[in-house]
RNA sequence: GACCCUAUCGUCUAGAGGCCUAGGACAAUACCCUUUCACGGUAUGAACCCGGGUUCGAAUCCCGGUGGGGUCGCCA
């Protein structure tokens, strides 16, 4: 049997971190078993679905590098098929028309809640042997309800949570088609998973309660029941649940915030899944190791600090040319023209990538190379003392004819040390202030090498 | 309220009855390295929710409690 998994978001917003992990696990499971991963857009909520959201989801998936093998399928394009199945069910008696109005339904639910009961449809239009149904009210367009079994239990062996069992008595006859004929979620999912031959449904925890309904539907249709794996939810950094109002952000926000996709992926993989003590691994390793047995059943709290650590780790490993592209992109976005200078962004990346936590910090440093920052009075008076300026003057003369490589520049600075009798920090710090308006930078010889002779002398002359 | 799920250091987790005086990672703290800030290295502190069982033996199995979460839509 070929494994077929799917990621089925509804296009009512961006791809957030929880959805991204669900997609990642579905993708990995298919890859792990040489199967097929498909993307399905569940857009039957016409009022809330937007093309922008579809694009946002596609963008997020692409940024993460989670490629689907089939799709994207759009449920709105499958209406004919849904109508056909509904008609079939109506004919076979596994579904029926219900003329109860929304108002009556609301009243019924309010009464049930007042009695502290579980709100549910009371089956008044459900056909039963020997039961006489009221005459269909004129002018009312009925909804279609599924005739759910009333006895027994429905259970499945959840691939992450173990055996889960529901009494059919707990389930009511849910609506599968609205008054306007459009099918509803549980129904579409079932028909799609069936038609698309999905073997493993990997989805969020919030669908556990839909599963017994979907299994009953599948059985009524005579369709095979796939394996289910329900992933527990991801809580915010503060332990609170993520919501639109609180903490739920688009995966693209992580791009904006300077995270590398491989860091986000590695973090997400490790959030709720483990492989012994492995913490840092490639996607190839993840795919080779991934299994549902080691997915945690309980909710996990998002930890930005650990993500930051992974991001810093992957930054160190990242190719300098790739980082150069990121630097240009980010600087350009903040209005800095990097074209006027011949400073090599890859060089900047090479000497700074192991000192920063994210791409934005790297870009901020790069900014200092492209545009000479001002020097605050405070720093000037503290570091550009008479002694320091004299040393810088000495250094300037030597720099004039120095061979412009880091080792040679290091030697040059040391000559100034010898000449002035100062210690390295006594020269290096004023030099940093003169060059960048701040006291910290990467190793000063490397910095000079990247900044270049012309720019270095120009900046030095400002303070001499 | 009903139903369903869940519970190991602050956080993510290892752990499938003896290997556990509970391991790793992030974070924290200390020290080392050092041309500043970082990086890096080393070390330290830090947890099995509670109560009953089962068993020679339980973090691991069972029951109950408590905490947390999910669902109860003509949303998905």
């Amino acid at each position: 049997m070929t494994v077929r998994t799917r990621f089925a978001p509804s296009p009512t917003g961006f791809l957030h971190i929880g959805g991204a992990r669900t997609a990642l696990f579905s993708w990995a499971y298919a890859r792990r078993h040489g199967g097929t991963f498909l993307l399905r857009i569940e857009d039957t909520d016409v009022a809330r679905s937007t093309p922008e959201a579809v694009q946002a989801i596609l963008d997020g998936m692409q940024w993460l590098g989670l490629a689907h093998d089939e799709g994207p399928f759009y449920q709105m394009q499958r209406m004919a098929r849904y109508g056909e199945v509904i008609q079939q069910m109506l004919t076979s008696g596994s579904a029926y028309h219900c003329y109860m109005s929304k108002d009556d339904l609301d009243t019924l639910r309010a009464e049930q809640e007042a009695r502290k009961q579980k709100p549910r449809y009371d089956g008044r239009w459900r056909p039963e042997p020997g039961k006489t149904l009221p005459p269909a009210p004129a002018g009312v367009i009925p909804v279609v309800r599924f005739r759910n079994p009333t006895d027994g239990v429905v259970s499945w062996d959840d691939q992450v949570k173990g055996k889960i069992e529901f009494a059919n008595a707990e389930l009511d006859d849910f609506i599968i088609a609205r008054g306007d004929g459009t099918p509803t979620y549980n129904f579409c999912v079932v028909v799609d998973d069936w038609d698309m031959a999905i073997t493993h449904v990997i989805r969020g925890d919030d669908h556990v309660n839909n599963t017994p309904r979907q299994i009953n539907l599948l059985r009524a249709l005579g369709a095979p029941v796939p394996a289910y794996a329900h992933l527990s939810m991801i809580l915010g950094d503060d332990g609170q649940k993520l919501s639109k109002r609180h903490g739920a952000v688009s995966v693209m926000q992580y791009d904006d915030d300077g995270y590398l996709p491989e860091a986000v992926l590695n973090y997400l993989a490790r959030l709720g899944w483990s492989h012994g003590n492995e913490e840092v691994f490639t996607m190839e390793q993840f795919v080779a190791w991934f299994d549902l047995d080691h997915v945690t059943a309980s909710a996990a709290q998002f930890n930005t600090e650990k993500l930051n650590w992974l991001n810093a780790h992957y930054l160190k490993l990242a190719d300098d040319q790739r980082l150069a592209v990121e630097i240009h992109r980010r600087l350009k976005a903040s209005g800095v023209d990097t074209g006027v200078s011949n400073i090599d962004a890859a060089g900047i990346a090479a000497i700074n990538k192991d000192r920063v936590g994210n791409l934005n910090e790297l870009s901020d440093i790069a900014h200092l190379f492209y545009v000479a920052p001002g020097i605050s009075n405070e720093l000037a008076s503290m570091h550009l003392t008479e002694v320091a300026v004299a040393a810088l003057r000495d250094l300037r003369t030597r720099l004039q004819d120095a061979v412009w490589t880091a080792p040679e520049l290091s030697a040059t600075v040391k000559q100034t040390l010898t000449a002035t009798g100062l210690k390295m920090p006594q020269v290096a710090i004023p030099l940093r202030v003169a060059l960048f308006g701040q006291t910290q930078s990467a190793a000063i010889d490397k910095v000079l090498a990247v900044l270049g002779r012309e720019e270095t002398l120009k900046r030095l002359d400002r303070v001499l």
Side-chain angles (χ1 to χ4, degrees):
Chain A
M1 177 185 70
T2 311
V3 166
R4 291 173 64 84
T5 65
R6 46 50 160 205
F7 177 52
S10 68
T12 54
F14 43 66
L15 177 65
H16 55 84
I17 215 70
R21 190 187 58 167
T22 303
L24 172 64
F25 284 16
S26 298
W27 172 87
Y29 193 80
R31 287 282 175 280
R32 167 77 175 82
H33 294 92
T36 305
F37 173 60
L38 38 166
L39 179 62
R40 184 169 77 216
I41 305 296
E42 310 218 322
D43 53 358
T44 52
D45 184 352
V46 184
R48 293 197 304 152
S49 297
T50 66
E52 291 74 25
V54 171
Q55 194 52 50
I57 291 164
L58 260 21
D59 289 346
M61 294 288 282
Q62 189 183 14
W63 185 69
L64 290 169
L66 301 178
H68 50 271
D69 306 303
E70 290 180 17
F73 298 103
Y74 295 86
Q75 290 187 322
M76 284 309 284
Q77 291 170 11
R78 292 177 39 78
M79 285 302 144
R81 170 61 177 153
Y82 302 138
E84 179 188 309
V85 177
I86 286 169
Q87 207 43 246
Q88 246 173 53
M89 292 179 71
L90 245 16
T91 308
S92 73
S94 58
Y96 60 92
H97 288 298
C98 168
Y99 294 86
M100 189 172 182
S101 71
K102 275 184 198 180
D103 286 349
D104 288 351
L105 214 39
D106 288 343
T107 314
L108 174 66
R109 279 197 270 257
E111 282 169 11
Q112 287 165 330
E113 260 174 86
R115 268 179 275 134
K116 305 231 181 245
Q117 287 173 341
K118 187 171 187 165
R120 63 212 305 276
Y121 173 64
D122 61 4
R124 64 180 68 174
W125 289 93
R126 176 182 171 114
E128 298 284 9
K131 173 178 172 186
T132 328
L133 261 20
V140 176
I141 305 166
V143 298
V144 179
R145 285 185 183 270
F146 172 57
R147 199 165 183 283
N148 196 77
T150 49
D151 308 314
V153 296
V154 45
S155 73
W156 72 96
D157 183 26
D158 196 276
Q159 301 293 291
V160 351
K161 289 176 185 289
K163 186 178 177 177
I164 301 181
E165 193 174 80
F166 281 82
N168 274 322
E170 287 295 328
L171 276 23
D172 65 359
D173 289 351
F174 56 96
I175 291 171
I176 59 176
R178 303 178 178 96
D180 65 6
T182 58
T184 60
Y185 170 73
N186 280 115
F187 177 79
C188 297
V189 166
V190 158
V191 174
D192 287 351
D193 285 342
W194 179 26
D195 286 353
M196 296 171 193
I198 300 302
T199 58
H200 298 259
V201 173
I202 300 171
R203 78 225 303 192
D205 214 346
D206 48 339
H207 289 292
V208 167
N209 292 274
N210 289 323
T211 307
R213 300 174 212 279
Q214 293 178 11
I215 291 176
N216 283 338
L217 216 37
L218 250 5
R219 288 201 178 126
L221 257 16
V225 178
Y228 292 95
H230 288 97
L231 273 22
S232 57
M233 65 180 320
I234 298 177
L235 271 22
D237 237 330
D238 53 3
Q240 297 299 111
K241 64 174 269 195
L242 256 21
S243 67
K244 285 198 186 84
R245 262 201 87 231
H246 182 82
V249 296
S250 163
V251 293
M252 296 314 287
Q253 182 67 43
Y254 289 90
D255 179 33
D256 288 348
D257 290 346
Y259 290 97
L260 258 14
E262 60 265 43
V264 173
L265 248 12
N266 192 154
Y267 179 73
L268 249 24
R270 199 57 195 67
L271 192 64
W273 173 84
S274 61
H275 184 73
N277 286 336
E278 301 292 343
E279 294 287 351
V280 181
F281 41 79
T282 63
M283 278 299 105
E284 288 68 34
Q285 288 173 303
F286 178 54
V287 166
W289 293 336
F290 186 70
D291 60 23
L292 263 9
D293 293 344
H294 291 85
V295 172
T296 325
S298 56
Q301 191 172 316
F302 194 89
N303 187 214
T304 303
E305 287 181 327
K306 189 161 180 179
L307 204 213
N308 289 344
W309 169 73
L310 274 168
N311 201 50
H313 171 80
Y314 281 108
L315 231 23
K316 291 184 188 76
L317 264 38
D319 175 71
D320 295 335
Q321 292 302 332
R322 173 189 175 195
L323 295 177
V325 171
E326 288 292 340
I327 286 171
H328 286 304
R329 180 185 143 211
R330 280 158 209 276
L331 251 25
K332 193 176 175 189
S334 53
V336 179
D337 184 5
T338 53
V340 298
S341 164
N342 38 22
I343 291 174
D344 177 24
I348 300 173
I351 65 172
N352 288 295
K353 65 181 177 184
D354 57 354
R355 311 173 57 245
V356 296
N358 63 61
L359 292 168
N360 290 339
E361 286 173 19
L362 183 60
S363 301
D364 287 345
I365 289 175
H367 193 172
L368 300 173
F369 280 79
Y370 287 107
V371 182
I375 302 165
S376 73
N377 291 333
E378 194 190 349
L379 282 181
S381 62
M382 196 182 307
H383 297 286
L384 300 178
T385 59
E386 241 174 84
V387 178
V389 170
L392 293 184
R393 198 165 277 129
D394 174 273
L395 180 64
R396 206 228 112 106
T397 319
R398 297 174 195 277
L399 253 21
Q400 191 85 51
D401 314 301
V403 176
W404 213 264
T405 63
E408 288 298 330
L409 290 164
S410 177
T412 306
V413 173
K414 280 171 185 155
Q415 285 166 17
T416 294
L417 259 32
T418 313
T420 57
L422 295 173
K423 297 285 184 198
M424 181 59 95
Q426 294 174 291
V427 174
I429 303 242
L431 183 54
R432 289 187 172 96
V433 170
L435 263 21
F436 298 109
Q438 59 182 42
T439 56
Q440 319 107 306
S441 78
I444 201 67
D445 49 346
K446 292 179 182 165
V447 163
L448 292 174
V450 173
L451 192 59
R453 189 193 318 265
E454 189 189 344
E455 185 66 16
T456 300
L457 297 183
K458 201 165 100 190
R459 292 187 187 193
L460 265 179
D461 287 339
R462 299 185 302 171
V463 302
L464 298 182

